[in-house]
Amino acid sequence: MDFYLTALLQGLCFSGIALGIYISMKIFNIPDITTDGSYALGGIVTGVTLTHAYPLYISIVVVLLAGGLAGAITGLIHTKLKINALLAGILVMTALYSVNLTIAGRSNLPLIGTASIFNVLNFTADVNVNTFIILLVIVAVLTGFIGYLLKTDFGIAMRATGNSETMIRALGVNTDRMKIIGLALANALTALSGFLITQQQGFADISMGVGIVIIGLGSVIIGETLIGWLRITSVWGSLLLVLAGTIVFQLVLAVTLAVGVNPNLLKVVTAVLVLLIVSLPRLSFRSHD
Amino acid sequence: MIKLENISKTFNRGKANEVKAIEDLSLTISVQDYVVIVGANGSGKSTLLNLIAGSTLPGSGIIEIDNHPVTRLHDYQRSRWIARVFQNPLSGTAPDLSILDNFRLAALRTQSKGLRIGTNNVFKKEVQEKIALLDMGLENKLMQPMGTLSGGQRQALTLLMSVMDECKILLLDEPTAALDPRSARLVMETADKLIADFKLTAILITHNLKDAHTHGNRLIHMAEGKVIKDFSSEKKLNLTQNDLFEWFS
């Protein structure tokens, strides 16, 4: 049971990535893979600030700013230099590896006896349950914030930017600026996931971001599939299903490990799982033809 | 209202596929003019419209709108004067957004899109009343995604969206090219009505010579990036449809 609870906690920690990918991929229609770098950046910045005994709120702010900056750079490269978004993301992600290594000074930062967001409030003696409650609160606040944002006039303009660029420019929106803001927001959320995971697992690692974008993608695609099945059109419904996607994804991985699949094969399992989810709608579509 | 002085625009300069889209064109359009532009494909009509809207910036020359120099301003900066309807019904609206959200953005064309929720009941009611005027039965489908509507409905709504916020200039780039005759007529009637009611300065590009003859108070014929004929109100009235057909034969 604890095994699945850990998976659930991990899923909640990853909700920042899922919301970030949802914003870049679904709202702005930009395939952004800065994610791997900005997630590790979030983790490393958390490790450095907390081991230097900075208070948590400073750590959070610095993490959000660092992730936002990384996303903004990808956005600038993509919009101002007219470079393909995928390439822009790869460039920033690659550069971030060195940046992270420089910030950390070494490849691994253990957090021992440092402040943790999961110790801020103690609801129960059970550490995992306490973490679960705190994560629920954080995810609820995040979702509330993003959901509200998407319903504001600014949020409608964000959604229109990814949907009909000619229209929204004719309606007075600087789409370049909008995309930069969007990618900054997406990567700030991703970095926040790095912040949470680092404290949940008790260390930051330079390579913690490798392949993490696939978790976000998988979660969003599961969410999208659910949205399609349930014919959800509301912003809130979509966000909740994306979060559900994150948790489903982690639980499926946990089951895979539980049935005895070699942990070394975890990334293969992840990739195959995402492939399955992506191709499922198409496969079933064909049989209906 | 709109002043173009010695505007030139060349695409792919210096390459084998160089195109001189607009060559040394000067044009003044007065307040409440309703200019119809005709011309063969590649005559520079759409480029001219894009230059006025700011989606293309000129190679040389000066553009003024409402006595403001706008030559270097981008399309999103000129939206405080200009509303547009595109040839492709998909370009003027966001398909995945609801009708209401589309109208909300249109209502903020000249303003900043801030962090408040503007799609409240007061706004909903306002949009409902506006859409009811079209008589298409869309007033109770505000939450429906724009993409579920037909091309004609979307073009009519795009027109209506242009007057949700203060509008001085309306640019219509072949708004009926993708529509069936009945929808096309409805869209043109709506356009005429809005242009008259809101005292707009308008430019209509069309390949439909019948439309070119019946709509507007000024007719311009373009060829090879230049204005080759320019008929203002009385002179336009004296033209027959056959005269127009002869230009293209």
Side-chain angles (χ1 to χ4, degrees), chain A residues 74-132:
Chain A
T74 303
L76 277 169
I77 295 174
H78 172 51
T79 56
K80 300 298 173 195
L81 302 179
K82 313 262 176 254
I83 284 173
N84 179 300
L86 268 177
L87 181 57
I90 292 174
L91 290 174
V92 174
M93 178 189 81
T94 308
L96 276 176
Y97 188 84
S98 294
V99 172
N100 290 340
L101 203 51
T102 312
I103 297 175
R106 54 202 157 116
S107 59
N108 190 292
L109 289 171
L111 294 178
I112 300 159
T114 54
S116 164
I117 194 150
F118 302 119
N119 297 334
V120 172
L121 290 170
N122 286 305
F123 298 100
T124 71
D126 187 323
V127 179
N128 276 343
V129 175
N130 200 48
T131 305
F132 176 68

Side-chain angles (χ1 to χ4, degrees), chain B:
Chain B
M1 178 56 80
I2 305 171
K3 208 162 131 192
L4 300 146
E5 268 176 41
N6 309 106
I7 294 291
S8 294
K9 178 70 191 180
T10 307
F11 292 107
N12 306 316
R13 184 182 293 279
K15 292 186 191 154
N17 54 352
E18 180 178 285
V19 181
K20 286 186 177 149
I22 298 284
E23 271 193 276
D24 197 29
L25 182 147
S26 295
L27 181 68
T28 307
I29 294 170
S30 328
V31 175
Q32 288 194 50
D33 258 1
Y34 182 173
V35 184
V36 180
I37 303 180
V38 293
N41 288 327
S43 58
K45 307 181 301 296
S46 288
T47 307
L48 178 66
L49 216 60
N50 285 334
L51 284 165
I52 294 172
S55 21
T56 309
L57 297 180
S60 62
I62 296 171
I63 304 174
E64 280 179 20
I65 292 176
D66 205 10
N67 296 322
H68 292 76
V70 299
T71 315
R72 291 284 130 201
L73 291 189
H74 293 282
D75 45 2
Y76 56 85
Q77 291 162 314
R78 296 189 201 177
S79 67
R80 51 184 279 217
W81 300 283
I82 298 176
R84 297 182 78 177
V85 178
F86 300 87
Q87 177 177 0
N88 182 349
L90 307 176
S91 301
T93 49
D96 292 347
L97 269 57
S98 66
I99 297 178
L100 185 69
D101 285 346
N102 273 279
F103 270 77
R104 181 64 198 163
L105 289 172
L108 296 170
R109 179 165 41 77
T110 69
Q111 305 156 47
S112 69
K113 286 88 185 151
L115 291 175
R116 62 188 203 92
I117 294 182
T119 46
N120 51 26
N121 285 331
V122 179
F123 182 74
K124 226 180 254 180
K125 201 147 197 149
E126 189 191 330
V127 174
Q128 236 159 13
E129 282 165 9
K130 283 246 162 82
I131 293 184
L133 297 177
L134 284 179
D135 210 13
M136 287 177 149
L138 294 173
E139 52 275 14
N140 295 319
K141 297 180 178 171
L142 291 192
M143 300 320 280
Q144 205 168 311
M146 199 53 117
T148 58
L149 306 183
S150 72
Q153 290 172 324
R154 286 176 76 167
Q155 279 313 55
L157 289 180
T158 310
L159 268 173
L160 208 51
M161 279 162 60
S162 62
V163 294
M164 283 298 290
D165 199 358
E166 195 198 339
C167 177
K168 293 208 164 89
I169 299 167
L170 180 61
L171 302 182
L172 306 160
D173 187 358
E174 298 185 48
T176 59
L179 307 183
D180 65 71
R182 200 175 146 269
S183 308
R185 202 176 60 238
L186 181 85
V187 165
M188 285 314 300
E189 280 167 7
T190 312
D192 279 2
K193 187 174 175 338
L194 293 179
I195 289 166
D197 288 357
F198 290 84
K199 300 188 168 38
L200 305 177
T201 305
I203 303 178
L204 165 71
I205 291 182
T206 184
H207 281 298
N208 183 331
L209 297 180
K210 195 166 159 275
D211 279 350
H213 183 255
T214 42
H215 300 277
N217 61 6
R218 185 173 169 189
L219 180 67
I220 286 176
H221 182 196
M222 284 185 74
E224 289 168 4
K226 295 191 179 88
V227 172
I228 55 168
K229 296 193 188 72
D230 187 347
F231 294 88
S232 53
S233 39
E234 303 98 60
K235 280 200 259 169
K236 181 175 186 291
L237 283 175
N238 291 331
L239 283 173
T240 63
Q241 262 191 60
N242 272 339
D243 294 334
L244 268 75
F245 279 113
E246 272 164 27
W247 298 353
F248 289 93
S249 57

Side-chain angles (χ1 to χ4, degrees), chain A residues 149-285:
Chain A
L149 180 70
L150 289 178
K151 288 186 90 71
T152 62
D153 296 335
F154 185 82
I156 303 175
M158 275 170 69
R159 281 147 61 202
T161 300
N163 201 221
S164 181
E165 198 165 337
T166 34
M167 173 250 201
I168 195 66
R169 284 181 72 90
L171 295 180
V173 171
N174 180 348
T175 47
D176 283 357
R177 207 191 62 164
M178 198 54 116
K179 286 178 193 170
I180 294 168
I181 294 174
L183 288 176
L185 177 64
N187 284 287
L189 288 167
T190 302
L192 192 68
S193 269
F195 170 83
L196 293 174
I197 279 283
T198 297
Q199 293 171 74
Q200 200 242 341
Q201 66 189 11
F203 64 90
D205 192 274
I206 187 77
S207 60
M208 65 193 272
V210 176
I212 211 76
V213 65
I214 207 81
I215 289 179
L217 281 175
S219 310
V220 171
I221 292 165
I222 295 176
E224 274 287 299
T225 313
L226 294 174
I227 290 167
W229 280 345
L230 303 172
R231 295 171 199 283
I232 301 284
T233 51
S234 82
V235 169
W236 293 113
S238 305
L239 288 180
L240 287 179
L241 287 176
V242 168
L243 294 179
T246 325
I247 290 161
V248 170
F249 195 86
Q250 290 306 310
L251 287 178
V252 172
L253 288 185
V255 170
T256 321
L257 288 177
V259 296
V261 173
N262 183 344
N264 285 345
L265 296 177
L266 196 58
K267 298 269 183 206
V268 174
V269 175
T270 313
V272 170
L273 181 60
V274 171
L275 178 64
L276 272 179
I277 303 159
V278 179
S279 53
L280 253 183
R282 273 160 226 194
L283 290 175
S284 57
F285 187 70

